[in-house]
Amino acid sequence: MKFAQKLSCTIILLVAASFSVGGFLLVWGNFNDSLDEAEAQAERWHLMQCYAMESEVLTRMAQGTEITDENMRSYMESLPAYESESLATMNFIRLMTDESEVYSAFTSDTWADWFPLRGGDTAYELRQADDRCYLLLQNQVNTPVKTYYMQSVNDVTSVFDARDQQLWRLWQMEAVTLVLCAGAAVVLSNRLTKPLKTLSEASTRIAQGEYDVRTELDTGDEVGLVSRNFDAMAEAVQKNVDELALSVRQREDFMGAFSHELKTPMTAIIGYADTLRSMQVSPEQQRMAAGYIFSEAKRVESLSRKLLMLMGLSEQKAELEPVPLEQIFRAVYVALAPVSSRIKLCFQKSPGVVVLADKDLLTDLVYNLMHNALKAEPKDQRIYALWRQEKNRICVTVADKGRGIPADQLGRITEPFYMVDKSRARRQGGSGMGLALCSEIARLHGTTLTFESKEGKGTSVSFWLELQTSEGADGK
């Protein structure tokens, strides 16, 4: 059974139970009130007959008339015709002594069998016979002559009939109410559970791989809160899945690039070595083959060294110490000068600027960034190493006005072996490991590389370092 159906049934059952209990209590209260009123009326009439009889006895005695059963019978025969018209219920009376019946207006022999009643001088009791209800009353009337017993039967069937009629109307009203309530409960339940249906459908679609599905419910209650939490969970799942897919793609790219980077020099080495092994060549050809073997072996050595360095950086922690920035710039200039004859290296002066860094790693970081800028073939034949200060930090930026990097590839350029232009990079001796090493070095210094690039206009790479002292660092 669906939740909406369960909710509808629950609402209907609660309404039915509440209506039934409340209606029954109301009818039962009205019935008890009516029955009490009927009993009080019957009792007043009965007592009135008793008092009238006692008065009659006293009057006869005062007149000197003898009190006999025959006199009492004559008196009693005059009462029903005189009193019955004023009563709402049917009343029947009988007068008894201990020995015999003096007078009886009972119309049924069954009524006579119900007496005498137990309960002392005054007693009453409810009885049912022939689908009718009767109230029995009995009083002891003491006279100087003898003791009489006044007995009456009062028909109170109308009170019970009124109760049954009220109950019947109650059931009719309850049936109509339940039908209307059932329709309202179904509509209300479907409306209340519609957000849950949306959540269920969204979870099913996410389970099937549609991780971009969102519920976006704004109900203003707990369901809305569940919706927001569900969407946040879906967002986290999608992010993790995307990261996992990216990780798989990066691993595949890494393995493909690594295999390719090894295959190219190994093919050359094997080919030239096989030539030297199996063929008779001239000394000049031997030197050429040996030169190729040497250069390709050095390329493999360089690749292996960079891989080991990248693995080592991911496991070690840098020991940061005060290092003059001017010293870093000078070491990079000296290292790049032999390969940058046509490109001017422009370093911003930094007297007195001391940063917290690992000197060798920071030198490699700036060197690699500027070496990459050299390969970008800047239009103005210049590469810039700049810095600016903000409070107790400085931002170091390496910029060029070269080819630039496509916007869709900026997010992957720090992956190992990733190259924007593979053919040009390999011709320039690149392996795609430089920026990966730079990213790891930046991480060890508690910072990250920030790239800004436009195709045809150039690239800038920035990172932040902590200052040891800011004396003389005016940024000019």
Side-chain angles (χ1 to χ4, degrees):
M1 183 181 292
K2 294 183 178 180
F3 180 71
Q5 295 172 335
K6 292 181 180 178
L7 185 59
S8 299
C9 292
T10 302
I11 294 174
I12 294 171
L13 288 175
L14 287 175
V15 171
S18 301
F19 198 91
S20 298
V21 173
F24 180 78
L25 291 177
L26 179 62
V27 171
W28 187 256
N30 291 336
F31 166 72
N32 285 333
D33 291 342
S34 298
L35 185 59
D36 290 343
E37 178 62 25
E39 289 176 351
Q41 183 182 15
E43 186 174 6
R44 284 195 298 271
W45 179 85
H46 183 86
L47 292 176
M48 184 174 63
Q49 308 311 313
C50 294
Y51 298 150
M53 179 180 172
E54 290 178 348
S55 177
E56 178 68 15
V57 169
L58 292 176
T59 300
R60 287 179 179 273
M61 290 180 64
Q63 295 174 350
T65 304
E66 183 180 2
I67 305 301
T68 64
D69 291 346
E70 185 64 26
N71 292 336
M72 291 297 100
R73 180 181 304 108
S74 298
Y75 169 73
M76 293 299 296
E77 286 176 351
S78 64
L79 291 181
Y82 176 77
E83 299 290 348
S84 62
E85 295 179 357
S86 65
L87 298 173
T89 57
M90 296 177 62
N91 301 275
F92 305 91
I93 195 167
R94 184 173 73 161
L95 186 64
M96 297 286 296
T97 64
D98 291 332
E99 296 82 12
S100 63
E101 178 182 279
V102 176
Y103 169 82
S104 176
F106 288 174
T107 60
S108 173
D109 295 337
T110 304
W111 299 353
D113 297 336
W114 291 341
F115 292 94
L117 301 180
R118 296 180 181 179
D121 293 345
T122 302
Y124 65 90
E125 184 177 322
L126 277 173
R127 287 290 184 95
Q128 186 173 2
D130 300 327
D131 297 328
R132 302 193 69 82
C133 296
Y134 300 96
L135 176 64
L136 311 181
L137 289 168
Q138 176 180 291
N139 271 83
Q140 182 175 315
V141 182
N142 296 315
T143 69
V145 179
K146 62 173 63 174
T147 299
Y148 291 94
Y149 298 94
M150 185 77 74
Q151 300 172 346
S152 65
V153 175
N154 305 271
D155 190 343
V156 292
T157 305
S158 60
V159 177
F160 289 87
D161 290 342
R163 180 200 64 182
D164 295 341
Q165 185 66 26
Q166 289 179 351
L167 287 174
W168 172 243
R169 290 175 181 173
L170 173 65
W171 305 143
Q172 289 178 321
M173 291 175 57
E174 183 171 5
V176 174
T177 302
L178 289 180
V179 171
L180 296 177
C181 179
V186 170
V187 174
L188 181 62
S189 298
N190 289 332
R191 184 178 180 84
L192 290 176
T193 57
K194 185 177 180 180
L196 299 179
K197 183 178 180 181
T198 301
L199 286 169
S200 176
E201 291 174 351
S203 63
T204 301
R205 292 174 63 186
I206 290 176
Q208 293 172 351
E210 299 181 44
Y211 301 108
D212 58 340
V213 175
R214 300 293 182 270
T215 57
E216 297 180 348
L217 298 174
D218 186 14
T219 59
D221 53 16
E222 290 81 356
V223 176
L225 178 60
V226 172
S227 172
R228 291 193 294 273
N229 292 337
F230 180 91
D231 289 345
M233 178 191 69
E235 188 74 27
V237 169
Q238 183 180 15
K239 182 179 179 181
N240 291 336
V241 170
D242 291 344
E243 290 177 352
L244 182 60
L246 177 61
S247 176
V248 172
R249 187 168 68 253
Q250 289 175 339
R251 187 183 300 112
E252 292 175 349
D253 292 346
F254 178 88
M255 294 305 298
F258 181 68
S259 300
H260 189 276
E261 293 297 326
L262 281 181
K263 181 180 180 181
T264 302
M266 292 303 296
T267 300
I269 291 172
I270 292 172
Y272 285 112
D274 185 61
T275 299
L276 293 176
R277 180 181 65 85
S278 59
M279 297 177 61
Q280 189 71 29
V281 295
S282 64
E284 182 64 26
Q285 290 174 324
Q286 287 181 356
R287 283 194 298 273
M288 183 181 68
Y292 276 117
I293 292 173
F294 178 77
S295 64
E296 294 301 319
K298 291 294 289 182
R299 183 177 174 185
V300 173
E301 180 189 31
S302 175
L303 179 62
S304 301
R305 178 171 52 81
K306 288 182 179 180
L307 276 174
L308 290 174
M309 183 178 180
L310 183 62
M311 294 173 61
L313 287 175
S314 64
E315 297 176 357
Q316 75 178 48
K317 291 184 179 180
E319 295 182 3
L320 305 184
E321 56 185 8
V323 179
L325 185 61
E326 192 79 30
Q327 192 176 96
I328 300 297
F329 284 171
R330 188 180 305 112
V332 173
Y333 176 80
V334 172
L336 283 176
V339 296
S340 60
S341 56
R342 294 182 299 169
I343 305 296
K344 184 176 181 180
L345 305 178
C346 303
F347 292 89
Q348 181 179 337
K349 292 182 180 181
S350 53
V353 178
V354 181
V355 297
L356 295 177
D358 183 301
K359 179 180 178 181
D360 295 333
L361 291 180
L362 183 57
T363 301
D364 284 344
L365 173 56
V366 178
Y367 174 87
N368 278 308
L369 292 179
M370 297 196 72
H371 194 266
N372 274 355
L374 283 173
K375 297 175 185 178
E377 301 173 356
K379 298 174 183 178
D380 60 353
Q381 304 296 309
R382 293 172 183 268
I383 298 173
Y384 303 89
L386 311 171
W387 64 275
R388 60 184 172 86
Q389 181 179 348
E390 287 187 9
K391 296 182 179 180
N392 61 338
R393 299 193 306 165
I394 67 166
C395 179
V396 179
T397 301
V398 175
D400 66 75
K401 296 183 180 179
R403 292 186 302 273
I405 304 171
D408 60 342
Q409 300 189 45
L410 276 175
R412 300 192 62 189
I413 56 178
T414 58
E415 297 176 13
F417 296 113
Y418 189 83
M419 293 173 278
V420 176
D421 189 335
K422 295 180 173 59
S423 60
R424 181 185 289 112
R426 291 194 177 98
R427 284 199 307 270
Q428 295 173 338
S431 61
M433 295 293 291
L435 287 179
L437 291 171
C438 291
S439 180
E440 280 297 316
I441 293 172
R443 182 187 64 79
L444 292 173
H445 284 79
T447 184
T448 57
L449 300 180
T450 302
F451 294 85
E452 294 181 4
S453 183
K454 290 185 178 180
E455 287 189 87
K457 293 186 177 181
T459 303
S460 66
V461 187
S462 303
F463 59 91
W464 291 86
L465 294 172
E466 295 290 331
L467 273 175
Q468 173 68 13
T469 176
S470 58
E471 287 185 18
D474 56 4
K476 299 181 180 179

